[in-house]
């Protein structure tokens, strides 16, 4: 039975520029079996082209159409919602601007003339940007975000991610951001499963290191959720977590084995 695998990147396939041990071999084995592969990242500070180049440089063969990031998901959503002439304010870095513009979306910094504000990870986020986004919201703009990640895993620790921008905006407005387009959005899951993998959700696996994004999206959409312990989540965090994975692995190195034979007891696998 053909399977589909949706891989998170940071903390799952690599950390910074270092490949997780066994990741290349595991992914290649799945491909050799005839399974389908998609890489899905919430990180909004790189282009899809950059991810393709990075994965290729690390020895993982990948086609552009099999890499999706939250910028693409946000641009795809906004392109479907905007009427002719409507504009968007961007709080984020150049890759987010580039993705929106590639889909013909008009961008403006005029808080009186935008229909949406889209929040992305912005390493130059400041009070002025927050105030412009707030004033646009006061003028009726809908606020959406690329991804909810509070931090991003890097070698040696973590750094603040888009969740910090969302927190600042929600603190100012007193309201939740209208919609988040990356993981764990059901819109993201539906697009990946139906449009790219073209497989039943029950035949697919969401593999990632973060409970509130990777594992939640898998669970909510009926995808098999696989937690790897190479990134953000430590085993001790599972005891009181709301989002429990179907499978727990030390790393994706172990993934081909569990999907060859789903008898978890025979494999000594921990299954929730």
């Amino acid at each position: 039975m053909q399977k589909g695998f949706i891989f998170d990147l940071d903390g799952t396939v690599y950390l910074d520029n270092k490949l997780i041990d066994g990741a290349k071999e595991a992914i290649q084995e799945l491909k050799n079996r005839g399974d389908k592969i998609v890489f899905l990242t919430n990180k909004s500070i790189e282009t899809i082209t950059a991810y393709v180049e990075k994965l290729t440089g690390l020895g993982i063969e990948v086609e552009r159409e099999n890499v999706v990031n939250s910028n693409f998901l946000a641009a795809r959503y906004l392109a479907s919602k905007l009427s002719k002439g409507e504009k968007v304010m961007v709080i984020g870095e150049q890759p987010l601007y580039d993705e929106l513009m590639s889909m013909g979306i008009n961008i403006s910094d005029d808080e009186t003339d935008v229909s949406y504000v889209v929040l992305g990870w912005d390493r130059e986020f400041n009070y002025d940007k927050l105030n412009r986004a707030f004033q646009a919201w006061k003028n009726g703009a809908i606020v959406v975000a690329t991804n909810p990640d509070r931090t991003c895993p890097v070698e040696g620790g973590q750094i603040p991610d888009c969740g910090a921008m969302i927190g600042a905006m929600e603190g100012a407005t007193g309201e939740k951001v209208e919609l988040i387009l990356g993981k764990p959005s059901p819109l993201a899951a539906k697009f990946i499963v139906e449009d790219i993998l073209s497989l039943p959700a029950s035949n697919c696996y969401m593999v990632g290191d973060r409970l509130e994004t990777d594992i939640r999206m898998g669970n909510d959409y009926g995808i098999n959720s696989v937690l790897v312990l190479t990134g953000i989540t430590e085993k001790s965090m599972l005891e009181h977590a709301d989002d429990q994975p179907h499978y727990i692995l030390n790393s994706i190195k172990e993934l081909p084995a569990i999907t060859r034979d789903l008898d978890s007891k025979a494999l000594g696998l921990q299954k929730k």
Side-chain angles (χ1 to χ4, degrees):
M1 181 186 298
Q2 188 177 47
K3 300 178 178 67
F5 292 88
I6 309 165
F7 286 107
D8 172 54
L9 289 175
D10 292 277
T12 300
V13 175
Y14 53 67
L15 280 171
D16 286 342
N17 294 309
K18 184 178 180 182
L19 202 63
I20 300 292
D21 182 47
K24 175 184 173 182
E25 294 76 12
I27 292 167
Q28 189 59 52
E29 183 173 343
L30 298 176
K31 288 182 179 179
N32 291 344
R33 285 184 352 200
D35 293 326
K36 295 183 176 182
I37 305 291
V38 173
F39 298 97
L40 173 61
T41 177
N42 270 353
K43 197 171 180 180
S44 64
I45 59 172
E46 297 287 355
T47 64
I48 290 176
T49 298
Y51 285 115
V52 172
E53 291 174 351
K54 182 171 184 174
L55 287 165
T56 302
L58 291 170
I60 296 173
E61 296 180 7
V62 61
E63 301 297 328
R64 181 182 173 86
E65 57 265 29
N66 296 110
V67 180
V68 177
N69 69 354
S70 59
N71 290 344
F72 174 81
L73 293 168
R76 183 174 179 270
Y77 174 81
L78 290 169
S80 73
K81 293 295 182 181
L82 292 167
S83 300
K84 186 176 181 180
E86 286 190 302
K87 300 174 184 176
V88 172
M89 177 182 287
V90 176
I91 305 298
E93 300 193 15
Q94 194 60 44
L96 179 54
Y97 281 86
D98 292 344
E99 194 67 60
L100 294 172
M101 289 187 292
S102 75
M103 292 199 188
I105 294 171
N106 296 315
I107 296 172
S108 173
D109 282 336
D110 183 351
E111 60 264 24
T112 67
D113 190 33
V114 294
S115 301
Y116 284 85
V117 174
V118 57
L119 303 175
W121 184 4
D122 189 340
R123 290 169 293 182
E124 295 184 355
F125 186 69
N126 56 30
Y127 185 83
D128 177 64
K129 291 182 178 182
L130 173 61
N131 183 48
R132 284 194 287 107
F134 175 75
Q135 298 304 328
W137 171 80
K138 289 280 287 182
N139 282 292
I142 297 170
V143 182
V144 300
T146 57
N147 64 291
D149 303 56
R150 294 188 297 274
T151 62
C152 178
V154 296
E155 271 198 284
Q158 305 173 43
I159 55 176
D161 202 321
C162 186
M165 284 84 253
I166 292 172
M169 191 65 182
E170 290 181 345
T173 65
E175 295 183 2
K176 289 288 186 182
V177 165
E178 180 92 4
L179 187 64
I180 295 173
L181 284 311
K183 297 174 290 185
S185 165
L187 295 175
K190 178 179 172 65
F191 172 65
I192 297 293
V193 170
E194 296 185 8
D195 292 13
I196 299 183
L197 294 174
S198 299
L199 290 169
S202 58
N203 286 13
C204 299
Y205 294 78
M206 178 66 232
V207 186
D209 69 309
R210 194 182 290 268
L211 295 173
E212 69 273 18
T213 54
D214 303 313
I215 302 309
R216 183 176 298 173
M217 187 182 85
N219 291 348
D220 287 352
Y221 203 73
I223 303 167
N224 298 286
S225 58
V226 182
L227 175 71
V228 291
L229 301 175
T230 47
I232 291 289
T233 303
E234 298 176 2
K235 205 168 183 181
S236 60
M237 298 176 183
L238 291 165
E239 185 176 353
H240 302 293
D242 292 330
D243 303 295
Q244 293 289 333
H246 295 116
Y247 300 97
I248 306 167
L249 305 180
N250 291 315
S251 79
I252 66 171
K253 184 178 183 178
E254 302 169 0
L255 189 62
I258 71 159
T259 53
R260 270 197 308 267
D261 179 358
L262 295 180
D263 183 351
S264 59
K265 290 184 179 179
L267 292 166
L269 184 75
Q270 299 177 50
K271 184 175 180 181
K272 293 289 182 181

